[in-house]
Amino acid sequence: MLERYWSITSSLLPFLWKGFLETLYVSLVAIVAGSLIGAVIGLVRSQRVPVLTGLFGLYIHVLRGTPFLVQLYVFYFVLPNTGVSWLSWDSRTAAFVALSVYTSSYVAEIVKGAIEAVPRGQSEAATALGMNRLQRLWYVVIPQALKLTVPPMSGVYVMIIKSTAILSVVGISELTRQGEVSILRFPRDVLFIYGLIAFIYFLYCYPVLRFARWAERRVGAARIVDLD
């Protein structure tokens, strides 16, 4: 039995590795792009900018209140049919955009919450030192807020990595899709193949969580040093 499973694993590894690389690429692009977009949106919402705050709030509620699969269908099937040339995306571009936008909705709320969690006295002290609004944000509020984003952000990133499994519905040959194709070759070993896929996802997500724990401890140590 062990020899059979080893033989299956050896046979499937090249295909699963190819799918993993696609998963890695798509997820990293979405995490970077979504984090940048979300950080800007969260910052704007925390400053109560007229009109933009309401629009971005609607943006976040729509994205977080609807399934990612539906959003993916909209980006891949609906928008290209509007007749707008720059919305005629291929499957990979649609996957990048959909997953990045989805990521940004969660990152925005984390950033907004972190900025608002910084004690008001910090801003008041900066104002007393003669700093303007932009200086208070850049030198006082944002550095402290970044420390607060570490734990929740890691959870979002792991969620995004796992969400890449849905991208197979638009033709992305990511890890799960490669596994499903492999099942056609070994139909009697469905459970084993899915277990192998889950293990590869675990190997990808676990270092992300461990890094977040390490960063959280470093942040805590930095706070103690600052207080001293």
Coordinates of all heavy atoms in Angstrom, one line a residue, residues 1 9 25 34 45-46 56 68 91 105 116 127 132-133 136 140 162 170 183 210 217:
M1 N 0.8 -1.2 0.0 CA 0.0 0.0 0.0 C 0.9 1.3 0.0 O 0.6 2.2 -0.7 CB -0.9 0.0 1.2 CG -1.9 1.2 1.3 SD -3.1 1.2 -0.1 CE -4.1 -0.2 0.4
T9 N 2.3 9.5 -5.6 CA 2.8 10.8 -5.3 C 3.9 11.2 -6.2 O 4.0 12.4 -6.7 CB 3.4 10.8 -3.8 OG1 2.4 10.4 -2.9 CG2 3.9 12.2 -3.5
Y25 N 1.9 32.4 -7.3 CA 2.0 33.6 -8.1 C 0.7 34.4 -8.0 O 0.8 35.6 -7.7 CB 2.2 33.2 -9.6 CG 2.3 34.4 -10.5 CD1 3.1 35.5 -10.3 CD2 1.6 34.4 -11.7 CE1 3.2 36.5 -11.1 CE2 1.7 35.5 -12.6 CZ 2.5 36.5 -12.3 OH 2.6 37.6 -13.2
G34 N -3.8 43.9 -3.3 CA -4.9 44.1 -2.4 C -4.5 44.9 -1.2 O -5.3 45.7 -0.7
R45 N -10.8 56.2 4.8 CA -12.0 56.1 5.6 C -11.7 56.5 7.1 O -12.6 57.1 7.7 CB -12.5 54.6 5.6 CG -13.0 54.2 4.3 CD -13.8 52.9 4.5 NE -15.0 53.1 5.2 CZ -15.7 52.3 5.9 NH1 -15.1 51.1 6.2 NH2 -16.8 52.6 6.5
S46 N -10.5 56.3 7.6 CA -10.2 56.7 8.9 C -10.2 58.2 9.1 O -10.4 58.7 10.2 CB -8.9 56.1 9.4 OG -7.8 56.7 8.7
F56 N -16.3 54.4 -0.4 CA -15.5 53.3 0.0 C -16.2 52.4 1.0 O -15.9 51.2 1.0 CB -14.2 53.8 0.6 CG -13.2 54.4 -0.4 CD1 -12.3 55.4 0.0 CD2 -13.2 53.9 -1.7 CE1 -11.4 55.9 -1.0 CE2 -12.3 54.4 -2.6 CZ -11.4 55.4 -2.3
F68 N -17.2 35.3 -2.8 CA -16.1 35.6 -3.8 C -16.4 34.9 -5.1 O -16.0 35.5 -6.2 CB -14.8 35.1 -3.2 CG -13.6 35.2 -4.2 CD1 -13.2 36.4 -4.6 CD2 -13.0 34.0 -4.7 CE1 -12.1 36.5 -5.5 CE2 -12.0 34.1 -5.6 CZ -11.5 35.4 -6.0
S91 N -8.6 35.0 -18.4 CA -8.9 34.4 -17.2 C -7.9 34.8 -16.1 O -8.3 35.0 -14.9 CB -8.9 32.9 -17.3 OG -7.7 32.4 -17.8
S105 N -10.8 44.7 0.4 CA -11.9 45.0 1.3 C -11.7 44.6 2.7 O -12.2 45.3 3.6 CB -13.2 44.3 0.7 OG -13.0 42.8 0.8
E116 N -7.7 53.9 14.0 CA -8.7 54.5 15.0 C -8.4 53.9 16.4 O -8.8 54.5 17.4 CB -10.1 54.1 14.6 CG -10.6 54.8 13.3 CD -12.0 54.5 12.9 OE1 -12.5 53.4 13.4 OE2 -12.6 55.2 12.1
T127 N 0.2 67.3 17.8 CA -0.3 68.7 17.5 C 0.3 69.7 18.4 O 0.7 70.8 17.9 CB -1.8 68.7 17.7 OG1 -2.4 67.7 16.8 CG2 -2.4 70.1 17.3
N132 N 1.5 69.2 11.5 CA 0.2 69.3 10.8 C -0.4 67.9 10.7 O 0.2 66.9 11.2 CB 0.4 69.9 9.5 CG 1.4 69.2 8.6 OD1 1.4 67.9 8.6 ND2 2.2 69.9 7.8
R133 N -1.6 67.8 10.0 CA -2.3 66.6 10.0 C -1.5 65.5 9.3 O -1.5 64.3 9.7 CB -3.6 66.8 9.2 CG -4.6 65.6 9.2 CD -5.9 66.0 8.6 NE -6.9 65.0 8.7 CZ -8.1 65.1 8.2 NH1 -8.5 66.2 7.7 NH2 -8.9 64.0 8.3
R136 N 1.3 64.3 11.5 CA 0.8 63.4 12.6 C 0.5 62.0 12.1 O 0.9 61.0 12.8 CB -0.5 64.0 13.2 CG -0.3 65.3 13.9 CD -1.5 65.6 14.8 NE -2.7 65.7 14.0 CZ -3.2 66.8 13.5 NH1 -2.5 67.9 13.6 NH2 -4.4 66.8 12.8
V140 N 3.5 59.6 13.5 CA 3.0 59.2 14.8 C 1.9 58.1 14.7 O 2.1 57.0 15.3 CB 2.3 60.4 15.6 CG1 1.8 60.0 16.9 CG2 3.4 61.5 15.8
K162 N -6.2 30.3 0.4 CA -7.1 29.2 0.3 C -8.2 29.5 -0.8 O -8.7 28.6 -1.4 CB -7.7 28.9 1.6 CG -6.7 28.3 2.6 CD -7.4 27.8 3.9 CE -7.9 29.0 4.7 NZ -8.4 28.6 6.0
V170 N -12.6 29.5 -13.6 CA -12.4 30.3 -14.8 C -11.2 29.9 -15.6 O -10.7 30.7 -16.4 CB -12.3 31.8 -14.4 CG1 -13.6 32.3 -13.8 CG2 -11.1 32.0 -13.4
I183 N -7.0 13.3 -10.5 CA -7.9 12.3 -10.0 C -8.4 11.4 -11.2 O -8.7 10.3 -11.0 CB -9.1 13.0 -9.3 CG1 -8.6 13.5 -7.9 CG2 -10.2 12.0 -9.1 CD1 -9.6 14.3 -7.2
R210 N 3.3 31.3 11.1 CA 4.5 31.4 12.0 C 5.2 32.7 11.9 O 5.6 33.3 12.9 CB 5.4 30.3 11.6 CG 4.9 28.9 11.9 CD 4.6 28.6 13.3 NE 5.7 28.9 14.2 CZ 5.6 28.9 15.6 NH1 4.4 28.7 16.1 NH2 6.7 29.1 16.3
R217 N 5.4 38.9 18.1 CA 6.3 39.0 19.3 C 7.3 40.1 19.2 O 7.6 40.7 20.2 CB 7.0 37.6 19.4 CG 6.1 36.5 19.9 CD 7.0 35.3 20.4 NE 7.8 34.8 19.3 CZ 7.4 33.8 18.5 NH1 6.2 33.3 18.6 NH2 8.2 33.4 17.6

